[in-house]
Amino acid sequence: MMGDRLSCSITYCVLLVVILFAGKSIANQSYGTKKIVAHASMLLAEDASLPPSASTIKASNHKAIGELIAETGFYQSIALTSDSPLLAKRSKYQEIAVHNSKHYGKILVLDGVVQLTERDADSYNEMMAHMPMMAHLKPRRVLVIGGGDGYVLSEVLKHPSVEHVDHVDLDGDVIETCREHFSWGKSWEDPRVALHIEDGSKFVRNAPSEYYDVIIQDSSDPFTQDDDGTTVELPSSVLYSSEHIKNVKRILKKDGVYNFQAETIHIPSDLEGVVEWRSSALEIGFKSAKYGSVTISSYPTGQIGFLMCQKGSDNEYSTLKDVKRRFGEMEKIGQGTTYYHPRLQISSFDLPLWVQKSIYSTTEREAMFEDDNDEL
């Protein structure tokens, strides 16, 4: 079995390399992507029924969906079952597909880029939701920006203190797709949820001041890079602008928490982005902004992160003891997790030394990591 998988992987990579060096690869930088994708399917797929947007490779009777990071030359793929795609359509904004994999289960793909898989979607989405929710002492009003798949929303709703959630996403077709194809698709039926199909930055601009306890931004990448190293801004870049972050801070209560998708540490331009966004958050007035790490095998490099920003002082937030108690209460009512656990409120911020040095000053590192107590 291992030999078969290795053989298939080599086949995919060799085919992709041949395409790239022949100058025939096609890069996708459309709305909703995570990174540049090599659309090898346009040249190699033997099955004419597969749409080009599926980013699939068919070789030796094997299909796979692959992603190339042009900046680093990193490429990875996931083998698909013969019945893929289960769905393929185009919305007003992007190509939407649902594929199937023997190991990863159903896979949501937007503009040819893997957004989540049933196998490991828990890691990213649970961390995006529970880290800020647990940091806040009693989150009642929550705003979720993006995350049209609904997984972050489903995790937020596990907290008994939640009274109201505004969920804002631009593409209603993504939501309808996930309602139909994924187990957490019933989250929008919860009476505490108000769904808004509109631009997230516009919604934040028009929201009342000091209204939300927690804001979670599960957005796509703000930029990517061409093969020649040129940075290309993507539509979601507005959600990473100083103006947007200012408005987020404005609509948070004085002890509010803001958590947003902050890319991987293993792509140089992404790490530069983390430093820039963190600096912007602190300059705008957040008291703290820390990068947390998540392990997820289906994302390029196997790692992604979030930037959690607190509007108030540390003594206004949960201790580890508080988090353990609340987590236990959630488990008792059948609202447990599979990836997140209380210790991650601390350990997810423990980064490799070279990353710490890239993100934090010496003084900040000493203050943040000098001891291991119960304060988060």
Side-chain angles (χ1 to χ4, degrees), residues 208-219:
S209 298
E210 298 188 359
Y211 187 78
Y212 295 103
D213 298 302
V214 172
I215 296 177
I216 301 168
Q217 182 173 295
D218 178 16
S219 58

Side-chain angles (χ1 to χ4, degrees), residues 119-245:
R119 165 71 66 168
D120 63 2
D122 58 340
S123 55
Y124 170 77
N125 290 281
E126 287 184 8
M127 292 295 281
M128 285 295 293
H130 297 299
M131 290 296 291
M133 294 294 288
M134 286 295 193
H136 195 282
L137 286 170
K138 194 171 184 179
R140 294 182 176 89
R141 290 179 179 169
V142 181
L143 170 62
V144 177
I145 304 169
D149 53 79
Y151 205 136
V152 165
L153 175 64
S154 70
E155 294 301 314
V156 166
L157 293 171
K158 289 181 177 181
H159 291 259
S161 64
V162 171
E163 298 172 358
H164 180 81
V165 183
D166 283 311
H167 183 202
V168 185
D169 195 89
L170 188 63
D171 197 339
D173 283 346
V174 173
I175 290 170
E176 291 309 311
T177 296
C178 294
R179 281 187 198 268
E180 178 181 352
H181 287 276
F182 294 97
S183 61
W184 54 85
K186 295 182 180 180
S187 301
W188 294 283
E189 298 174 10
D190 192 299
R192 294 172 291 174
V193 177
L195 177 60
H196 309 267
I197 306 300
E198 61 178 278
D199 179 81
S201 62
K202 180 180 179 181
F203 184 91
V204 170
R205 281 198 305 273
N206 296 329
S209 298
E210 298 188 359
Y211 187 78
Y212 295 103
D213 298 302
V214 172
I215 296 177
I216 301 168
Q217 182 173 295
D218 178 16
S219 58
S220 56
D221 293 347
F223 62 84
T224 188
Q225 285 201 349
D226 280 338
D227 290 335
D228 62 2
T230 303
T231 298
V232 180
E233 285 196 351
L234 299 175
S236 60
S237 61
V238 66
L239 298 176
Y240 291 79
S241 67
S242 293
E243 179 184 358
H244 177 71
I245 297 174

Side-chain angles (χ1 to χ4, degrees), residues 7-274:
S7 174
C8 291
S9 297
I10 291 173
T11 300
Y12 298 144
C13 291
V14 169
L15 288 168
L16 182 64
V17 169
V18 169
I19 292 172
L20 292 175
F21 278 90
K24 298 180 181 178
S25 66
I26 300 175
N28 183 339
Q29 299 165 10
S30 301
Y31 181 83
T33 60
K34 286 287 182 187
K35 284 294 162 194
I36 294 177
V37 180
H39 282 276
S41 61
M42 292 184 175
L43 302 170
L44 293 177
E46 297 172 6
D47 186 349
S49 66
L50 290 174
S53 61
S55 281
T56 55
I57 300 172
K58 184 172 181 179
S60 302
N61 295 319
H62 293 282
K63 291 190 293 185
I65 183 163
E67 187 168 354
L68 169 70
I69 306 300
E71 183 178 345
T72 62
F74 180 87
Y75 173 78
Q76 71 177 33
S77 64
I78 299 175
L80 304 175
T81 56
S82 60
D83 59 346
S84 280
L86 305 178
L87 174 144
K89 65 179 181 179
R90 177 163 186 84
S91 73
K92 179 180 178 181
Y93 303 100
Q94 57 201 328
E95 299 281 350
I96 303 171
V98 177
H99 288 280
N100 197 27
S101 166
K102 182 178 180 181
H103 178 74
Y104 284 95
K106 290 181 182 178
I107 305 171
L108 175 66
V109 179
L110 301 180
D111 277 338
V113 181
V114 172
Q115 302 298 304
L116 60 76
T117 77
E118 288 181 316
R119 165 71 66 168
D120 63 2
D122 58 340
S123 55
Y124 170 77
N125 290 281
E126 287 184 8
M127 292 295 281
M128 285 295 293
H130 297 299
M131 290 296 291
M133 294 294 288
M134 286 295 193
H136 195 282
L137 286 170
K138 194 171 184 179
R140 294 182 176 89
R141 290 179 179 169
V142 181
L143 170 62
V144 177
I145 304 169
D149 53 79
Y151 205 136
V152 165
L153 175 64
S154 70
E155 294 301 314
V156 166
L157 293 171
K158 289 181 177 181
H159 291 259
S161 64
V162 171
E163 298 172 358
H164 180 81
V165 183
D166 283 311
H167 183 202
V168 185
D169 195 89
L170 188 63
D171 197 339
D173 283 346
V174 173
I175 290 170
E176 291 309 311
T177 296
C178 294
R179 281 187 198 268
E180 178 181 352
H181 287 276
F182 294 97
S183 61
W184 54 85
K186 295 182 180 180
S187 301
W188 294 283
E189 298 174 10
D190 192 299
R192 294 172 291 174
V193 177
L195 177 60
H196 309 267
I197 306 300
E198 61 178 278
D199 179 81
S201 62
K202 180 180 179 181
F203 184 91
V204 170
R205 281 198 305 273
N206 296 329
S209 298
E210 298 188 359
Y211 187 78
Y212 295 103
D213 298 302
V214 172
I215 296 177
I216 301 168
Q217 182 173 295
D218 178 16
S219 58
S220 56
D221 293 347
F223 62 84
T224 188
Q225 285 201 349
D226 280 338
D227 290 335
D228 62 2
T230 303
T231 298
V232 180
E233 285 196 351
L234 299 175
S236 60
S237 61
V238 66
L239 298 176
Y240 291 79
S241 67
S242 293
E243 179 184 358
H244 177 71
I245 297 174
K246 284 180 183 177
N247 278 318
V248 167
K249 179 177 177 291
R250 175 184 61 79
I251 66 175
L252 278 171
K253 294 181 181 179
K254 65 178 183 178
D255 58 350
V257 184
Y258 173 41
N259 197 38
F260 64 94
Q261 189 268 114
E263 307 292 3
T264 176
I265 58 177
H266 297 297
I267 299 175
S269 62
D270 283 3
L271 186 54
E272 291 170 4
V274 172

